[in-house]
mmCIF file of all heavy atoms in Angstrom:
data_model
loop_
_atom_site.group_PDB
_atom_site.id
_atom_site.type_symbol
_atom_site.label_atom_id
_atom_site.label_comp_id
_atom_site.label_asym_id
_atom_site.label_seq_id
_atom_site.Cartn_x
_atom_site.Cartn_y
_atom_site.Cartn_z
ATOM 1 N N VAL A 92 82.239 137.463 79.474
ATOM 2 C CA VAL A 92 82.311 136.396 78.478
ATOM 3 C C VAL A 92 83.623 136.503 77.725
ATOM 4 O O VAL A 92 83.980 137.581 77.212
ATOM 5 C CB VAL A 92 81.129 136.486 77.486
ATOM 6 C CG1 VAL A 92 81.277 135.428 76.385
ATOM 7 C CG2 VAL A 92 79.803 136.308 78.207
ATOM 8 N N GLU A 93 84.367 135.403 77.691
ATOM 9 C CA GLU A 93 85.537 135.287 76.822
ATOM 10 C C GLU A 93 85.010 134.956 75.429
ATOM 11 O O GLU A 93 84.454 133.887 75.200
ATOM 12 C CB GLU A 93 86.468 134.178 77.317
ATOM 13 C CG GLU A 93 87.162 134.484 78.636
ATOM 14 C CD GLU A 93 88.321 135.459 78.458
ATOM 15 O OE1 GLU A 93 88.812 135.596 77.314
ATOM 16 O OE2 GLU A 93 88.739 136.063 79.465
ATOM 17 N N VAL A 94 85.163 135.891 74.520
ATOM 18 C CA VAL A 94 84.489 135.803 73.231
ATOM 19 C C VAL A 94 85.234 134.861 72.283
ATOM 20 O O VAL A 94 86.422 135.054 72.013
ATOM 21 C CB VAL A 94 84.353 137.202 72.603
ATOM 22 C CG1 VAL A 94 83.668 137.108 71.245
ATOM 23 C CG2 VAL A 94 83.576 138.134 73.536
ATOM 24 N N ASP A 95 84.512 133.870 71.779
ATOM 25 C CA ASP A 95 85.062 132.996 70.746
ATOM 26 C C ASP A 95 84.780 133.553 69.349
ATOM 27 O O ASP A 95 85.627 133.507 68.461
ATOM 28 C CB ASP A 95 84.475 131.591 70.872
ATOM 29 C CG ASP A 95 84.946 130.879 72.130
ATOM 30 O OD1 ASP A 95 86.111 131.088 72.533
ATOM 31 O OD2 ASP A 95 84.152 130.118 72.715
ATOM 32 N N HIS A 96 83.579 134.053 69.163
ATOM 33 C CA HIS A 96 83.212 134.721 67.908
ATOM 34 C C HIS A 96 82.202 135.821 68.208
ATOM 35 O O HIS A 96 81.401 135.705 69.132
ATOM 36 C CB HIS A 96 82.589 133.750 66.903
ATOM 37 C CG HIS A 96 83.564 132.823 66.253
ATOM 38 N ND1 HIS A 96 83.791 131.531 66.700
ATOM 39 C CD2 HIS A 96 84.408 132.991 65.184
ATOM 40 C CE1 HIS A 96 84.705 130.954 65.939
ATOM 41 N NE2 HIS A 96 85.100 131.819 65.021
ATOM 42 N N SER A 97 82.255 136.866 67.411
ATOM 43 C CA SER A 97 81.264 137.936 67.452
ATOM 44 C C SER A 97 80.462 137.889 66.163
ATOM 45 O O SER A 97 81.005 137.600 65.097
ATOM 46 C CB SER A 97 81.936 139.307 67.567
ATOM 47 O OG SER A 97 82.861 139.345 68.628
ATOM 48 N N GLY A 98 79.186 138.197 66.258
ATOM 49 C CA GLY A 98 78.360 138.260 65.069
ATOM 50 C C GLY A 98 78.427 139.642 64.452
ATOM 51 O O GLY A 98 78.583 140.649 65.145
ATOM 52 N N VAL A 99 78.326 139.692 63.128
ATOM 53 C CA VAL A 99 78.291 140.960 62.400
ATOM 54 C C VAL A 99 76.928 141.066 61.739
ATOM 55 O O VAL A 99 76.523 140.174 60.985
ATOM 56 C CB VAL A 99 79.395 141.034 61.332
ATOM 57 C CG1 VAL A 99 79.383 142.390 60.639
ATOM 58 C CG2 VAL A 99 80.762 140.774 61.959
ATOM 59 N N ASN A 100 76.222 142.150 62.023
ATOM 60 C CA ASN A 100 74.888 142.364 61.476
ATOM 61 C C ASN A 100 74.829 143.672 60.699
ATOM 62 O O ASN A 100 75.623 144.592 60.942
ATOM 63 C CB ASN A 100 73.852 142.415 62.606
ATOM 64 C CG ASN A 100 73.660 141.062 63.258
ATOM 65 O OD1 ASN A 100 73.423 140.067 62.590
ATOM 66 N ND2 ASN A 100 73.784 141.028 64.572
ATOM 67 N N TYR A 101 73.840 143.775 59.808
ATOM 68 C CA TYR A 101 73.692 145.015 59.052
ATOM 69 C C TYR A 101 73.432 146.186 59.981
ATOM 70 O O TYR A 101 73.846 147.321 59.716
ATOM 71 C CB TYR A 101 72.576 144.883 58.013
ATOM 72 C CG TYR A 101 72.786 145.812 56.850
ATOM 73 C CD1 TYR A 101 73.495 145.411 55.733
ATOM 74 C CD2 TYR A 101 72.316 147.116 56.886
ATOM 75 C CE1 TYR A 101 73.724 146.266 54.673
ATOM 76 C CE2 TYR A 101 72.543 147.986 55.832
ATOM 77 C CZ TYR A 101 73.242 147.549 54.731
ATOM 78 O OH TYR A 101 73.488 148.417 53.693
ATOM 79 N N ALA A 102 72.759 145.923 61.094
ATOM 80 C CA ALA A 102 72.501 147.001 62.056
ATOM 81 C C ALA A 102 73.796 147.624 62.561
ATOM 82 O O ALA A 102 73.822 148.812 62.917
ATOM 83 C CB ALA A 102 71.687 146.463 63.227
ATOM 84 N N ASP A 103 74.874 146.849 62.598
ATOM 85 C CA ASP A 103 76.162 147.388 63.067
ATOM 86 C C ASP A 103 76.649 148.510 62.165
ATOM 87 O O ASP A 103 77.314 149.447 62.625
ATOM 88 C CB ASP A 103 77.217 146.271 63.111
ATOM 89 C CG ASP A 103 76.849 145.135 64.056
ATOM 90 O OD1 ASP A 103 75.920 145.308 64.868
ATOM 91 O OD2 ASP A 103 77.495 144.079 63.964
ATOM 92 N N THR A 104 76.350 148.415 60.870
ATOM 93 C CA THR A 104 76.784 149.473 59.954
ATOM 94 C C THR A 104 76.023 150.772 60.230
ATOM 95 O O THR A 104 76.560 151.865 60.068
ATOM 96 C CB THR A 104 76.601 149.058 58.479
ATOM 97 O OG1 THR A 104 75.214 149.008 58.132
ATOM 98 C CG2 THR A 104 77.238 147.700 58.215
ATOM 99 N N HIS A 105 74.767 150.640 60.622
ATOM 100 C CA HIS A 105 73.992 151.825 61.006
ATOM 101 C C HIS A 105 74.506 152.396 62.333
ATOM 102 O O HIS A 105 74.575 153.613 62.511
ATOM 103 C CB HIS A 105 72.513 151.478 61.134
ATOM 104 C CG HIS A 105 71.817 151.316 59.818
ATOM 105 N ND1 HIS A 105 71.534 152.374 58.994
ATOM 106 C CD2 HIS A 105 71.355 150.202 59.181
ATOM 107 C CE1 HIS A 105 70.910 151.934 57.903
ATOM 108 N NE2 HIS A 105 70.795 150.623 57.994
ATOM 109 N N GLN A 106 74.874 151.500 63.253
ATOM 110 C CA GLN A 106 75.395 151.964 64.546
ATOM 111 C C GLN A 106 76.669 152.775 64.340
ATOM 112 O O GLN A 106 76.876 153.809 65.000
ATOM 113 C CB GLN A 106 75.667 150.762 65.453
ATOM 114 C CG GLN A 106 76.074 151.143 66.868
ATOM 115 C CD GLN A 106 76.477 149.942 67.702
ATOM 116 O OE1 GLN A 106 77.026 148.961 67.181
ATOM 117 N NE2 GLN A 106 76.211 150.002 68.997
ATOM 118 N N ALA A 107 77.521 152.340 63.417
ATOM 119 C CA ALA A 107 78.793 153.029 63.193
ATOM 120 C C ALA A 107 78.593 154.446 62.676
ATOM 121 O O ALA A 107 79.387 155.337 62.977
ATOM 122 C CB ALA A 107 79.660 152.232 62.215
ATOM 123 N N GLU A 108 77.535 154.677 61.917
ATOM 124 C CA GLU A 108 77.293 156.015 61.390
ATOM 125 C C GLU A 108 76.223 156.768 62.175
ATOM 126 O O GLU A 108 75.818 157.864 61.813
ATOM 127 C CB GLU A 108 76.912 155.954 59.912
ATOM 128 C CG GLU A 108 75.585 155.278 59.635
ATOM 129 C CD GLU A 108 75.261 155.179 58.151
ATOM 130 O OE1 GLU A 108 76.162 155.371 57.318
ATOM 131 O OE2 GLU A 108 74.095 154.882 57.829
ATOM 132 N N ASN A 109 75.768 156.136 63.267
ATOM 133 C CA ASN A 109 74.765 156.728 64.163
ATOM 134 C C ASN A 109 73.439 156.975 63.447
ATOM 135 O O ASN A 109 72.765 157.984 63.670
ATOM 136 C CB ASN A 109 75.258 158.035 64.785
ATOM 137 C CG ASN A 109 74.516 158.362 66.085
ATOM 138 O OD1 ASN A 109 74.005 157.475 66.766
ATOM 139 N ND2 ASN A 109 74.453 159.623 66.434
ATOM 140 N N SER A 110 73.044 156.014 62.609
ATOM 141 C CA SER A 110 71.747 156.099 61.937
ATOM 142 C C SER A 110 70.829 154.965 62.374
ATOM 143 O O SER A 110 69.802 154.698 61.738
ATOM 144 C CB SER A 110 71.930 156.062 60.413
ATOM 145 O OG SER A 110 72.517 154.832 59.997
ATOM 146 N N TYR A 111 71.186 154.300 63.467
ATOM 147 C CA TYR A 111 70.392 153.177 63.974
ATOM 148 C C TYR A 111 69.225 153.717 64.797
ATOM 149 O O TYR A 111 69.193 154.899 65.182
ATOM 150 C CB TYR A 111 71.278 152.260 64.815
ATOM 151 C CG TYR A 111 70.673 150.916 65.152
ATOM 152 C CD1 TYR A 111 70.088 150.130 64.160
ATOM 153 C CD2 TYR A 111 70.691 150.431 66.459
ATOM 154 C CE1 TYR A 111 69.542 148.891 64.466
ATOM 155 C CE2 TYR A 111 70.152 149.183 66.770
ATOM 156 C CZ TYR A 111 69.573 148.428 65.773
ATOM 157 O OH TYR A 111 69.033 147.212 66.079
ATOM 158 N N LEU A 112 68.264 152.849 65.100
ATOM 159 C CA LEU A 112 67.104 153.270 65.886
ATOM 160 C C LEU A 112 67.500 153.764 67.271
ATOM 161 O O LEU A 112 66.893 154.687 67.806
ATOM 162 C CB LEU A 112 66.112 152.107 66.008
ATOM 163 C CG LEU A 112 65.364 151.745 64.715
ATOM 164 C CD1 LEU A 112 64.577 150.462 64.907
ATOM 165 C CD2 LEU A 112 64.446 152.865 64.283
ATOM 166 N N ALA A 113 68.510 153.124 67.874
ATOM 167 C CA ALA A 113 69.027 153.584 69.163
ATOM 168 C C ALA A 113 70.305 154.378 68.911
ATOM 169 O O ALA A 113 71.218 153.907 68.239
ATOM 170 C CB ALA A 113 69.320 152.390 70.074
ATOM 171 N N ALA A 114 70.370 155.579 69.441
ATOM 172 C CA ALA A 114 71.534 156.440 69.216
ATOM 173 C C ALA A 114 72.777 155.865 69.883
ATOM 174 O O ALA A 114 72.707 155.252 70.950
ATOM 175 C CB ALA A 114 71.252 157.838 69.763
ATOM 176 N N SER A 115 73.920 156.050 69.232
ATOM 177 C CA SER A 115 75.205 155.614 69.772
ATOM 178 C C SER A 115 75.896 156.779 70.473
ATOM 179 O O SER A 115 75.694 157.939 70.116
ATOM 180 C CB SER A 115 76.100 155.082 68.645
ATOM 181 O OG SER A 115 75.480 154.030 67.953
ATOM 182 N N ARG A 116 76.752 156.441 71.446
ATOM 183 C CA ARG A 116 77.521 157.462 72.156
ATOM 184 C C ARG A 116 79.005 157.150 72.015
ATOM 185 O O ARG A 116 79.447 156.043 72.297
ATOM 186 C CB ARG A 116 77.133 157.489 73.632
ATOM 187 C CG ARG A 116 75.712 158.004 73.897
ATOM 188 C CD ARG A 116 75.378 157.973 75.371
ATOM 189 N NE ARG A 116 75.349 156.602 75.882
ATOM 190 C CZ ARG A 116 75.123 156.276 77.149
ATOM 191 N NH1 ARG A 116 74.944 157.236 78.045
ATOM 192 N NH2 ARG A 116 75.092 155.015 77.527
ATOM 193 N N LEU A 117 79.763 158.130 71.565
ATOM 194 C CA LEU A 117 81.194 157.964 71.338
ATOM 195 C C LEU A 117 81.966 158.068 72.650
ATOM 196 O O LEU A 117 81.580 158.826 73.547
ATOM 197 C CB LEU A 117 81.697 159.040 70.380
ATOM 198 C CG LEU A 117 81.127 159.001 68.953
ATOM 199 C CD1 LEU A 117 81.542 160.247 68.187
ATOM 200 C CD2 LEU A 117 81.590 157.753 68.215
ATOM 201 N N PRO A 118 83.093 157.350 72.747
ATOM 202 C CA PRO A 118 83.527 156.254 71.870
ATOM 203 C C PRO A 118 82.799 154.975 72.264
ATOM 204 O O PRO A 118 82.287 154.857 73.376
ATOM 205 C CB PRO A 118 85.018 156.158 72.166
ATOM 206 C CG PRO A 118 85.112 156.530 73.620
ATOM 207 C CD PRO A 118 84.063 157.585 73.846
ATOM 208 N N PHE A 119 82.765 154.011 71.362
ATOM 209 C CA PHE A 119 82.114 152.740 71.707
ATOM 210 C C PHE A 119 82.734 151.600 70.909
ATOM 211 O O PHE A 119 83.366 151.804 69.862
ATOM 212 C CB PHE A 119 80.609 152.806 71.465
ATOM 213 C CG PHE A 119 80.209 152.943 70.014
ATOM 214 C CD1 PHE A 119 79.962 151.829 69.228
ATOM 215 C CD2 PHE A 119 80.068 154.199 69.439
ATOM 216 C CE1 PHE A 119 79.592 151.958 67.903
ATOM 217 C CE2 PHE A 119 79.695 154.345 68.112
ATOM 218 C CZ PHE A 119 79.448 153.220 67.341
ATOM 219 N N VAL A 120 82.533 150.412 71.434
ATOM 220 C CA VAL A 120 82.913 149.174 70.752
ATOM 221 C C VAL A 120 81.636 148.617 70.134
ATOM 222 O O VAL A 120 80.671 148.342 70.847
ATOM 223 C CB VAL A 120 83.522 148.154 71.733
ATOM 224 C CG1 VAL A 120 83.770 146.824 71.023
ATOM 225 C CG2 VAL A 120 84.819 148.694 72.316
ATOM 226 N N PRO A 121 81.568 148.479 68.815
ATOM 227 C CA PRO A 121 80.341 147.979 68.197
ATOM 228 C C PRO A 121 80.168 146.479 68.423
ATOM 229 O O PRO A 121 81.034 145.808 68.988
ATOM 230 C CB PRO A 121 80.543 148.299 66.714
ATOM 231 C CG PRO A 121 82.013 148.345 66.526
ATOM 232 C CD PRO A 121 82.590 148.838 67.825
ATOM 233 N N GLY A 122 79.041 145.979 67.947
ATOM 234 C CA GLY A 122 78.778 144.542 68.035
ATOM 235 C C GLY A 122 77.717 144.213 69.060
ATOM 236 O O GLY A 122 77.884 144.511 70.241
ATOM 237 N N GLY A 123 76.633 143.571 68.604
ATOM 238 C CA GLY A 123 75.510 143.311 69.484
ATOM 239 C C GLY A 123 75.323 141.877 69.894
ATOM 240 O O GLY A 123 74.349 141.550 70.578
ATOM 241 N N GLU A 124 76.274 140.978 69.535
ATOM 242 C CA GLU A 124 76.093 139.568 69.896
ATOM 243 C C GLU A 124 77.439 138.853 69.937
ATOM 244 O O GLU A 124 78.335 139.142 69.138
ATOM 245 C CB GLU A 124 75.161 138.882 68.889
ATOM 246 C CG GLU A 124 75.685 138.956 67.463
ATOM 247 C CD GLU A 124 74.685 138.533 66.407
ATOM 248 O OE1 GLU A 124 73.484 138.802 66.579
ATOM 249 O OE2 GLU A 124 75.125 137.941 65.405
ATOM 250 N N VAL A 125 77.574 137.954 70.892
ATOM 251 C CA VAL A 125 78.802 137.179 71.045
ATOM 252 C C VAL A 125 78.456 135.752 71.448
ATOM 253 O O VAL A 125 77.398 135.484 72.024
ATOM 254 C CB VAL A 125 79.751 137.785 72.113
ATOM 255 C CG1 VAL A 125 80.223 139.169 71.699
ATOM 256 C CG2 VAL A 125 79.085 137.820 73.486
ATOM 257 N N VAL A 126 79.371 134.856 71.153
ATOM 258 C CA VAL A 126 79.309 133.503 71.683
ATOM 259 C C VAL A 126 80.665 133.217 72.316
ATOM 260 O O VAL A 126 81.708 133.607 71.785
ATOM 261 C CB VAL A 126 78.954 132.463 70.591
ATOM 262 C CG1 VAL A 126 80.004 132.408 69.492
ATOM 263 C CG2 VAL A 126 78.733 131.090 71.196
ATOM 264 N N GLY A 127 80.647 132.594 73.479
ATOM 265 C CA GLY A 127 81.900 132.334 74.185
ATOM 266 C C GLY A 127 81.652 131.617 75.492
ATOM 267 O O GLY A 127 80.634 130.931 75.654
ATOM 268 N N ARG A 128 82.592 131.811 76.437
ATOM 269 C CA ARG A 128 82.510 131.081 77.706
ATOM 270 C C ARG A 128 82.550 132.039 78.884
ATOM 271 O O ARG A 128 83.238 133.058 78.860
ATOM 272 C CB ARG A 128 83.642 130.057 77.794
ATOM 273 C CG ARG A 128 83.537 129.003 76.704
ATOM 274 C CD ARG A 128 84.441 127.802 76.917
ATOM 275 N NE ARG A 128 84.207 126.814 75.869
ATOM 276 C CZ ARG A 128 83.260 125.873 75.928
ATOM 277 N NH1 ARG A 128 82.475 125.805 76.988
ATOM 278 N NH2 ARG A 128 83.101 125.011 74.945
ATOM 279 N N THR A 129 81.807 131.678 79.901
ATOM 280 C CA THR A 129 81.756 132.444 81.147
ATOM 281 C C THR A 129 82.837 131.920 82.093
ATOM 282 O O THR A 129 83.461 130.884 81.827
ATOM 283 C CB THR A 129 80.371 132.301 81.791
ATOM 284 O OG1 THR A 129 80.117 130.915 82.057
ATOM 285 C CG2 THR A 129 79.291 132.834 80.858
ATOM 286 N N PRO A 130 83.085 132.606 83.219
ATOM 287 C CA PRO A 130 84.124 132.147 84.160
ATOM 288 C C PRO A 130 83.936 130.721 84.663
ATOM 289 O O PRO A 130 84.909 130.054 85.026
ATOM 290 C CB PRO A 130 84.013 133.159 85.301
ATOM 291 C CG PRO A 130 83.537 134.409 84.636
ATOM 292 C CD PRO A 130 82.572 133.938 83.585
#
């Protein structure tokens, strides 16, 4: 997906500090939702 906009959620702040329900693995690109166009 060619991203036009990404959504920012409060859960992302937990993901950044690894306090979210699902553990994060370093390194990573945060963000759980996008809107854009496919090929």
Side-chain angles (χ1 to χ4, degrees):
V92 176
E93 291 283 340
V94 179
D95 292 325
H96 286 97
S97 308
V99 183
N100 291 308
Y101 206 91
D103 299 346
T104 70
H105 284 288
Q106 186 186 32
E108 66 183 15
N109 203 26
S110 62
Y111 193 49
L112 289 172
S115 303
R116 291 179 295 178
L117 296 171
F119 66 91
V120 174
E124 59 191 35
V125 297
V126 62
R128 297 193 176 273
T129 59

